[in-house]
Amino acid sequence: MGKNNPLMDVMNAVSSSLDLVIDAPRSKISTMSELEALALNDKTLASLRKQYLDAKAMRIQAQKQFGTDDGMVELAVLNEDSAWCAMQTRYLELRDNREAMRVAQAALEQAEYIEKQKAQKEEDRKTLAYYQSLQMIQKIKERDKIDYAMLIFALLMLRDTYAGFFRMQTCHKFNYMAT
């Protein structure tokens, strides 16, 4: 293979554009809840939320390990319920606090703005990938036209260059067969 291999160029172009065009599954960014926004600025709520999530994980683990009817699972369920109640109590206290709610609303708006920016960037990336794939297809079509035109040109050149050669051989064989 020589340095200028049109087939390899096309294959490389397709391969490089597939990285841009193929969309890998991406996790969706969920919006921040009010509880999470309040927990950002309240250490007590953040701690209670963590305790609840830990208790929930321990309950799930206990159910997997011991089954649903085991005494350990019952204790894990009680622990989870207790943690949930404590977290909800602090959450309700903070909802009554105007300053805490103002700060939480600002955090929610900031999170929403960031999510919109990420969504816009993803949309721009998809649009660019689509445009680049269209450009690649156009280049391949143009290259194919050029290659086809070059093939026709080469065949015409061969016909004109070797016309006499083929004619002499054909005549010679014809004459040879006739005699």
Side-chain angles (χ1 to χ4, degrees):
M1 290 186 202
K3 287 184 180 180
N4 189 5
N5 188 347
L7 182 58
M8 281 304 277
D9 293 342
V10 170
M11 290 172 60
N12 288 335
V14 169
S15 176
S16 65
S17 69
L18 282 177
D19 294 337
L20 297 173
V21 175
I22 293 176
D23 291 328
R26 300 173 197 274
S27 61
K28 295 287 181 186
I29 301 170
S30 62
T31 57
M32 183 184 296
S33 69
E34 187 178 65
L35 187 134
E36 292 169 332
L38 286 167
L40 287 175
N41 295 311
D42 186 66
K43 291 181 181 179
T44 305
L45 182 60
S47 175
L48 290 171
R49 183 173 177 270
K50 183 180 180 329
Q51 288 174 14
Y52 165 70
L53 292 175
D54 289 345
K56 183 178 177 181
M58 288 184 69
R59 184 217 8 114
I60 292 170
Q61 179 62 32
Q63 284 177 333
K64 286 180 184 176
Q65 188 174 1
F66 301 112
T68 55
D69 296 331
D70 192 68
M72 292 298 290
V73 175
E74 289 179 27
L75 288 174
V77 168
L78 290 174
N79 189 24
E80 180 184 3
D81 288 342
S82 175
W84 185 84
C85 288
M87 179 185 68
Q88 289 299 315
T89 301
R90 181 62 181 165
Y91 172 60
L92 291 174
E93 289 172 358
L94 289 173
R95 287 198 69 190
D96 288 339
N97 185 337
R98 286 184 186 256
E99 181 61 26
M101 285 303 293
R102 185 189 61 74
V103 172
Q105 284 294 348
L108 286 171
E109 289 171 4
Q110 180 68 21
E112 186 178 340
Y113 175 76
I114 290 170
E115 186 175 335
K116 285 181 181 178
Q117 291 295 325
K118 287 182 181 179
Q120 183 62 39
K121 284 183 182 179
E122 181 66 19
E123 186 65 29
D124 291 346
R125 186 195 66 78
K126 286 181 181 179
T127 303
L128 181 63
Y130 178 72
Y131 178 71
Q132 288 175 340
S133 65
L134 289 177
Q135 281 184 328
M136 182 196 65
I137 290 169
Q138 183 64 30
K139 285 180 183 178
I140 290 171
K141 285 182 178 179
E142 288 173 4
R143 181 178 291 160
D144 287 346
K145 286 179 185 176
I146 292 170
D147 290 343
Y148 186 69
M150 291 302 286
L151 177 64
I152 292 172
F153 180 70
L155 289 174
L156 289 174
M157 291 295 292
L158 282 173
R159 185 192 69 170
D160 292 339
T161 305
Y162 294 106
F165 175 74
F166 289 122
R167 187 166 308 204
M168 289 186 327
Q169 290 223 357
T170 305
C171 293
H172 176 23
K173 284 185 180 178
F174 178 76
N175 290 339
Y176 180 74
M177 292 171 97
T179 55

